[in-house]
Amino acid sequence: MANLTEFARERYAQAALRARPASIWLRRGWSETLIELLIRLSGLSTIAIVGLIFLFLVREGLPTFLDIPLRQLFSGRWYPIEGLYGLWPLLVGSLVVTAGAIIIAVPLGLTTAIYLGEIAPPWQREILKPLVEVLAGIPSIVLGFLGWVTLAPIIQGLGAPTGLTALTGSLILAYMALPAIISISEDALYAVPKEYRDGALAIGATQWQTIWRVVLPAARSGLAMAVMLGIGRAIGETMAVMMVTGNAAFVPDLGLDMPLSPVRTMTATIAAEMGEVAQGSLHYSVLFGIGIVLFVVTFTINLIAGRLVGSVVRRRGGQL
Amino acid sequence: MTRAATERSIKINVRNFSFYYGDFQALDSLTLGIGQNEITALIGPSGCGKSTFLRSLNRMNDTIPGARAVGDVLLDGKNIYDPEVDVTELRQRVGMVFQRPNPFPQSIYDNVAFGPRVLGTARRSDLGDLVRQSLIDASLWDDVKHRLHGSALNLNPGQQQRLCIARAIAVKPDVILMDEPCSALDPVATLRVEDLMRELAEHFTIVIVTHNMQQAARVSDQTGFFWLGRLVEFDETERLFSAPREALTEAYITGRRG
Ligand SMILES: Nc1ncnc2c1ncn2[C@@H]1O[C@H](COP(=O)(O)OP(=O)(O)O)[C@@H](O)[C@H]1O
Ligand SMILES: [Mg+2]
């Protein structure tokens, strides 16, 4: 009896093994297969397009790094007309403007989100939140105008030789990054369960201690995301920055008044000069070379951000 | 239960206390005395005001817009609704454990150390001992002593609730309020928390809301029966369950209403 069932079970298992591939094909049918194929194709095409863009960038930009000695590339003089292609001023320009924007936008954005999410009475929230959305909808070129017309004179009033400076660019950029930072961090704060706040308050923590020691840590991966997206917006922005930074391609003196000097960013350089160069010339390649540098920088930042968020998640036992 | 027969010392004296959410009156002139080192159970159907009353005892209702309290709640003879009372100090003395375990998404250690840290009640060098002692008192130490720095969210619900109790007692309160602390727990975890309550009553005054009448009968010294915002009957637990004075109480505990 026992042998018989044993035997039957084995036969059944073998049959099932043999039958499985065929039956899966039969049950899925051709529409299932087609859908899967389409999804696979669209996924692969996205990857392929990114790859092609990168290849194109490399092909057009490569002469930069082959034909120009590295020493010249890192020199301080960007005079394309005289054949001098020093990228250093543009790198420094981008760095100063972006760093300035981050320093302004991150604390301002986070505190605004905390105010909106945790402190403001409901009627204020109802007025302020739509305003933030409106801010997000302002085209960057309009902000550029504003910077030119109203911000620049104020900056000049501070004692700068001109109103079109790195600081002007940072302020405009910060403004542009703010809506993303505010609304994403507010979402992150909103996602923190009320039970955590109750728990802290019930022990005798003040509202501020509750926010600082419970709510913010609980929301930190979302907050990190908000900051990274804000920074991403700041680095990629071109037109407004081109309008208000003065477009002077030389390295400002190191010092406290560095933000008050006119600079030129990498993105602004590409946008301004692309229309004037002969296709295939060295100048043309160098503009693509700048594109490669931008690509590498952005990629690195995203990579670091990914690591940061990942390690935070791991440290907290897999809990976002 | 025998203690009540001898003289009781009253920890919280509630006199003519009413509570309103806007126009809605949730509590109607409650008067009762909560005895020191006793476990006081509050029973009654859903929505009759048990949680409201409990949250009135450490002023957790303060944050609700339009909420208003009338009458006195005297803690050791001092009215906690006096304007000069510091609410954070009050909540340190009157701790709270919630219906759903709510450990912070931090390490076990940080959860227990939270209160002493924000209140500044322990020296840095004493903090480790305090955390350990609180976990021992909450009968959680043996479960977690090898993973104090692991996430509190990896504990099971029963352990999480005992962690919340440890977190509450780490600031050395006088009173612990528990709002249906076992309703999210399985029967075994529930019994553990009940045992723990009996031990804690040696050092603390405990007020527990429950709509499980067996639980009230098992753990408490005094029981109050709430009905539509009123305190219908308040008596020694044994007495209330064996010989209720009010018909409404009897109907509820024998299961005819609720
Ligand atoms: N925040 C609030 N705002 C308005 N009404 C509330 C609020 N909380 C509770 N209530 C009302 O107060 C009454 C008592 O609620 P509650 O104290 O939670 O009862 P229980 O804990 O006994 O179930 C209910 O009618 C409930 O709807
Ligand atoms: Mg309740």
Side-chain angles (χ1 to χ4, degrees), chain A residues 203-227:
Chain A
I203 289 174
T206 61
Q207 189 185 18
W208 174 239
Q209 288 168 329
T210 303
I211 293 171
W212 185 248
R213 288 173 177 261
V214 176
V215 179
L216 290 185
R220 65 185 147 194
S221 55
L223 298 178
M225 208 83 83
V227 169

Side-chain angles (χ1 to χ4, degrees), chain A residues 213-250:
Chain A
R213 288 173 177 261
V214 176
V215 179
L216 290 185
R220 65 185 147 194
S221 55
L223 298 178
M225 208 83 83
V227 169
M228 292 324 298
L229 283 171
I231 292 175
R233 173 113 208 245
I235 289 178
E237 179 50 43
T238 309
M239 298 316 286
V241 169
M242 193 161 97
M243 288 173 74
V244 298
T245 53
N247 276 323
F250 47 72

Side-chain angles (χ1 to χ4, degrees), chain A residues 122 192-207 209-210 213-215 217-220 315-320, chain B residues 55 58 60 63 87-89 91-92 94-96 98 100 102-106 111 114-119 151 153-154 167-168 171:
Chain A
V192 175
K194 182 179 181 301
E195 281 86 357
Y196 293 165
R197 299 180 177 85
D198 281 350
L201 292 174
I203 289 174
T206 61
Q207 189 185 18
Q209 288 168 329
T210 303
R213 288 173 177 261
V214 176
V215 179
R220 65 185 147 194
R315 230 181 313 126
R316 297 163 61 205
Q319 286 285 334
L320 261 177
Chain B
R55 293 164 64 90
N58 67 346
M60 279 297 282
T63 52
V87 181
T88 61
E89 203 176 293
R91 290 179 187 154
Q92 184 215 320
V94 184
M96 190 161 208
F98 295 83
R100 268 187 34 199
N102 62 346
F104 305 134
Q106 298 168 6
N111 263 277
F114 179 84
R117 278 178 179 150
V118 299
L119 297 169
S151 169
L153 301 183
N154 291 340
R167 187 175 69 186
V171 299

Side-chain angles (χ1 to χ4, degrees), chain B residues 25-229:
Chain B
Q25 180 165 18
L27 297 175
D28 185 7
S29 321
L30 308 184
T31 297
L32 71 156
I34 291 166
Q36 169 121 33
N37 290 85
E38 287 180 356
I39 299 180
T40 302
L42 308 176
I43 60 171
S46 282
C48 65
K50 306 179 299 291
S51 296
T52 302
F53 176 64
L54 202 69
R55 293 164 64 90
S56 301
L57 298 180
N58 67 346
R59 293 183 56 179
M60 279 297 282
N61 286 327
D62 278 19
T63 52
I64 298 170
R68 190 162 50 94
V70 179
D72 297 338
V73 175
L74 308 177
L75 174 65
D76 290 331
K78 286 206 63 183
N79 189 357
I80 64 169
Y81 282 92
D82 261 359
E84 73 251 29
V85 165
D86 177 357
V87 181
T88 61
E89 203 176 293
L90 167 69
R91 290 179 187 154
Q92 184 215 320
R93 291 181 60 197
V94 184
M96 190 161 208
V97 174
F98 295 83
Q99 186 166 355
R100 268 187 34 199
N102 62 346
F104 305 134
Q106 298 168 6
S107 74
I108 292 165
Y109 185 96
D110 287 340
N111 263 277
V112 183
F114 179 84
R117 278 178 179 150
V118 299
L119 297 169
T121 49
R123 270 179 310 182
R124 200 170 257 277
S125 53
D126 299 339
L127 198 56
D129 286 339
L130 180 61
V131 168
R132 183 169 151 272
Q133 192 56 48
S134 305
L135 286 167
I136 291 173
D137 291 345
S139 76
L140 188 61
W141 176 252
D142 288 332
D143 298 28
V144 302
K145 59 186 171 195
H146 297 305
R147 45 170 169 157
L148 286 178
H149 296 282
S151 169
L153 301 183
N154 291 340
L155 299 174
N156 67 40
Q159 293 170 325
Q160 289 192 4
Q161 195 61 301
R162 278 179 281 139
L163 179 64
C164 292
I165 291 172
R167 187 175 69 186
I169 60 185
V171 299
K172 305 195 189 306
D174 298 346
V175 182
I176 303 175
L177 311 173
M178 301 185 178
D179 194 347
E180 304 194 26
C182 301
S183 63
L185 308 185
D186 64 48
V188 177
T190 298
L191 285 180
R192 269 199 91 164
V193 172
E194 287 178 11
D195 287 346
L196 174 59
M197 275 190 256
R198 290 253 51 114
E199 286 166 28
L200 292 176
E202 312 253 322
H203 308 284
F204 306 98
T205 299
I206 296 178
V207 186
I208 171 182
V209 167
T210 173
H211 56 218
N212 175 342
M213 279 179 285
Q214 284 77 33
Q215 183 169 64
R218 276 194 301 264
V219 300
S220 70
D221 302 301
Q222 301 273 320
T223 298
F225 170 56
F226 279 66
W227 180 267
L228 295 178

